[in-house]
Amino acid sequence: TADVAIILVDARKGVLEQTRRHAFLSALLGIPRLVVAVNKMDLVDYDEATFEAIRTEFTEFAAKLEVHNVTFVPLSALKGDNVVERSEAMAWYTGPALLDHLEKVHIASDRNLTDVRFPVQYVIRPHSDEWHDYRGYAGTVAGGTFAVGDKVVALPSGFGTSVKQIWGPGGVELDEAFASQAVSIALEDEIDIVRGDMLVRPNNRPHVGREIDAMVCWFSESSQLAPGNTYRMLCGTRETRVRIDGLNYRLDVNTLHRDESAKALTLNEIGRLSLHAQTPVMFDEYRRNRDTGAFIVVDELTGNTVGAGMILGADED
């Protein structure tokens, strides 16, 4: 869920397979900005033509990944050129130093303020005379904003109500809560809501279903991911059992070739899968909301995290 990825390029060697692989993985993870730091410029005599050739080659490759926000910085980590301050050795470069760019890059617009999402993490039921009628729902806002009085729907039940009160950290009462803020919310009506449910707006709902189309990166050294296997899936605060219904293809991150004959995924391999969840899952496409579109895969026997996934959408097959 990073906002920026820095890809380091050796000015002497240019764009390598590793460079392309890292750029692809950054794009796959939905990181909206790339910084290509062309290092060791001192070893090529701070040559502008060398830097421009690397910029051109990388830009052409990035276009295939639909990555459009790329910043190029020529630097020498050894000499400190363009790391913290602009370097006189590369007067031809008119952009910012690396640290200056990282400190000033605008990321506020990355938050999804359109799709209102609140995955319920914990149900609060105090055991005291003063609060015996209170029921609140704690969690982190995963999209949009919630305000007192807003109409909301609880998923997957579909029951509607409105927001009665919102509390922030320390018990401070708030008028509204926004994406990435941890709060507790009380509702006007008593609805049966448990951990893993989600509060949304009536006319702006995520997908709710059991059939999921996703890209998964496999982490396990001791096992393979193959059709028919079952795992535990954690998507937001929702936990359910999931079956691998199909491996559509394995992706070669160096060439972007799709191997549709692949039968399984092994360590560090990435593939597109069809998943079937035991209970309904509330989700958005990962490219739209990384909080509600990401999940992890857990081995049912060992409890180890063996994979990480990005949801592409509902599986229509």
Side-chain angles (χ1 to χ4, degrees):
T1 56
D3 298 299
V4 183
I6 301 175
I7 297 177
L8 203 60
V9 177
D10 188 327
R12 301 168 301 172
K13 301 177 181 179
V15 177
L16 304 175
E17 279 194 3
Q18 176 176 276
T19 312
R20 295 186 176 90
R21 180 166 61 251
H22 290 167
F24 169 74
L25 292 174
S26 299
L28 182 66
L29 291 171
I31 299 175
R33 297 169 193 79
L34 299 183
V35 177
V36 179
V38 183
N39 191 29
K40 301 185 179 180
M41 288 296 296
D42 55 308
L43 299 183
V44 294
D45 298 324
Y46 302 105
D47 181 46
E48 181 181 5
T50 299
F51 173 74
E52 290 299 333
I54 292 172
R55 184 210 293 264
T56 299
E57 184 177 358
F58 188 91
T59 299
E60 291 175 352
F61 177 74
K64 301 176 183 177
L65 306 177
E66 297 185 356
V67 175
H68 305 295
N69 195 327
V70 184
T71 301
F72 296 84
V73 181
L75 57 87
S76 168
L78 179 65
K79 304 289 187 179
D81 296 301
N82 285 339
V83 177
V84 177
E85 297 178 350
R86 290 271 304 277
S87 170
E88 294 181 0
M90 290 175 279
W92 45 266
Y93 172 69
T94 58
L98 179 61
L99 184 60
D100 185 48
H101 173 73
L102 294 177
E103 289 180 334
K104 295 179 179 178
V105 63
H106 180 71
I107 62 172
S109 59
D110 292 349
R111 296 294 181 189
N112 186 326
L113 299 178
T114 302
D115 303 318
V116 178
R117 307 285 186 262
F118 185 75
V120 175
Q121 181 177 354
Y122 183 72
V123 179
I124 303 173
R125 292 294 302 270
H127 297 288
S128 68
D129 293 337
E130 182 182 359
W131 294 90
H132 70 278
D133 288 329
Y134 177 80
R135 177 182 289 190
Y137 305 99
T140 300
V141 180
T145 59
F146 286 85
V148 173
D150 281 352
K151 299 292 185 183
V152 294
V153 170
L155 296 178
S157 69
F159 292 124
T161 183
S162 58
V163 177
K164 181 179 181 180
Q165 292 170 302
I166 302 173
W167 283 274
V172 178
E173 193 162 354
L174 306 173
D175 293 326
E176 63 178 9
F178 50 84
S180 78
Q181 194 171 15
V183 297
S184 64
I185 295 177
L187 304 175
E188 290 288 356
D189 302 290
E190 189 166 315
I191 297 176
D192 187 16
I193 297 175
V194 298
R195 173 183 168 87
D197 289 359
M198 185 182 290
L199 298 178
V200 302
R201 289 278 172 78
N203 298 320
N204 185 334
R205 306 188 186 195
H207 297 283
V208 181
R210 302 184 183 188
E211 310 301 326
I212 299 171
D213 180 19
M215 298 292 293
V216 171
C217 180
W218 194 243
F219 295 159
S220 176
E221 296 182 17
S222 58
S223 66
Q224 296 183 345
L225 182 149
N229 291 0
T230 59
Y231 304 94
R232 281 193 297 127
M233 172 186 180
L234 280 70
C235 182
T237 59
R238 191 74 162 177
E239 181 175 345
T240 184
R241 201 174 187 215
V242 68
R243 182 182 68 237
I244 311 300
D245 273 357
L247 173 56
N248 301 322
Y249 57 79
R250 182 175 58 210
L251 195 61
D252 186 324
V253 297
N254 295 316
T255 64
L256 305 187
H257 172 70
R258 299 179 178 183
D259 182 5
E260 297 180 356
S261 64
K263 304 300 182 184
L265 295 181
T266 58
L267 179 65
N268 289 336
E269 290 186 331
I270 297 173
R272 184 169 182 172
L273 309 177
S274 296
L275 309 175
H276 176 79
Q278 189 174 44
T279 57
V281 178
M282 289 73 70
F283 61 89
D284 295 289
E285 291 87 355
Y286 184 80
R287 60 180 174 78
R288 186 174 183 90
N289 190 321
R290 289 188 286 176
D291 291 319
T292 56
F295 63 90
I296 61 171
V297 180
V298 177
D299 186 287
E300 294 184 289
L301 295 178
T302 65
N304 294 332
T305 299
V306 290
M310 293 140 286
I311 297 175
L312 302 177
D315 194 342
E316 305 295 342
D317 294 338

